Amino acid sequence: MTSPREPIVTPVAVKELRPTQMTVGMREVELKRRMIRARNDEETGTFLGRHMVPVVLGPKKRNYVVDHHHMARALLEEGVKDVLVTVTSDLSKLDKDAFLTMLDNRGWMHPFDENGRRRDYDALPKSMADLVDDPYRSLAGELRREGGFAKDTTPFSEFLWADFLRRRIDRAAVAKSFDKAMKRALALAKSKDADYLPGWCGPTSD
């Protein structure tokens, strides 16, 4: 009788984690920072033991994060030194060009900047500290929490929603009043214009 294969889990320095995207929603990061601060050391340790960061091993055995970028950035900001990672794939034998191409084609990379423009692989930041704020990613994260769309397994689904909102809500309006922008986002999320997006849960007619 064989037992299920256990994931490989190792502690890694947060500062050494490599992003596979260029932006985060800094409002989302701040929410996670508050969550971390609200826990004592023991509670934080328990939490981190249950929320491991998935990574792909790349050239030089570097850990490339494929999910939980916001949490990783929050941990870095809060001075947490190490985090547990689980290796989803070992591609360390590939050279860098082949590795980055593989990440992109597997949906493990989102090489788009804070304006929604695709960039060259060289523009990917080298550390979590270098991730840039995209306010529309924060808007999309809050929209999901408010029930604007359902959680979905589509890679980087929140960024697809962020780009949808980016084309319809002025950046200055988001900066001036996040709450007003959210009301507009909720209305847009229920419209037929958004029905192609992952997790759409707007009204439909039979």
Side-chain angles (χ1 to χ4, degrees), residues 20 71 73-74 86 91 95-96 106 110 119 125 135-136 150 157 164 171 173-176 178 189 192:
T20 55
M71 177 58 70
R73 176 60 182 261
T86 179
L91 301 178
D95 63 43
K96 191 168 184 180
R106 290 291 298 272
H110 189 74
R119 302 285 300 278
Y136 291 97
S157 59
F164 171 79
R171 186 180 290 261
V174 179
K176 183 178 180 181
F178 190 87
K192 291 291 288 182

Side-chain angles (χ1 to χ4, degrees), residues 31-58:
L31 290 173
K32 293 189 182 301
R33 290 185 68 180
R34 291 179 197 167
M35 181 181 67
I36 294 167
R37 284 187 223 126
R39 292 177 164 89
N40 59 37
D41 290 345
E42 183 179 349
E43 290 170 336
T44 298
T46 300
F47 174 80
L48 294 178
R50 294 173 179 168
H51 296 79
M52 292 166 286
V53 175
V55 300
V56 172
L57 286 184

Side-chain angles (χ1 to χ4, degrees), residues 152-167:
D152 191 274
T153 58
T154 302
F156 301 102
S157 59
E158 286 90 349
F159 280 105
L160 295 176
W161 279 93
D163 284 333
F164 171 79
L165 298 173
R166 192 190 318 279
R167 294 190 295 272

Side-chain angles (χ1 to χ4, degrees), residues 85-175:
V85 302
T86 179
V87 177
T88 61
S89 185
D90 186 347
L91 301 178
S92 58
K93 67 180 181 181
L94 301 181
D95 63 43
K96 191 168 184 180
D97 287 342
F99 171 71
L100 293 173
T101 299
M102 188 68 172
L103 284 185
D104 201 355
N105 281 276
R106 290 291 298 272
W108 288 336
M109 179 200 292
H110 189 74
F112 293 82
D113 65 17
E114 68 276 16
N115 297 308
R117 295 178 301 201
R118 186 178 176 94
R119 302 285 300 278
D120 292 339
Y121 296 153
D122 289 344
L124 280 171
K126 298 294 192 294
S127 76
M128 293 295 160
D130 298 326
L131 289 164
V132 176
D133 181 33
D134 179 358
Y136 291 97
R137 175 59 183 81
S138 290
L139 200 62
E142 187 64 23
L143 179 61
R144 185 173 67 80
R145 282 191 293 275
E146 291 283 334
F149 65 96
K151 191 172 179 64
D152 191 274
T153 58
T154 302
F156 301 102
S157 59
E158 286 90 349
F159 280 105
L160 295 176
W161 279 93
D163 284 333
F164 171 79
L165 298 173
R166 192 190 318 279
R167 294 190 295 272
R168 291 165 174 81
I169 303 176
D170 187 73
R171 186 180 290 261
V174 179

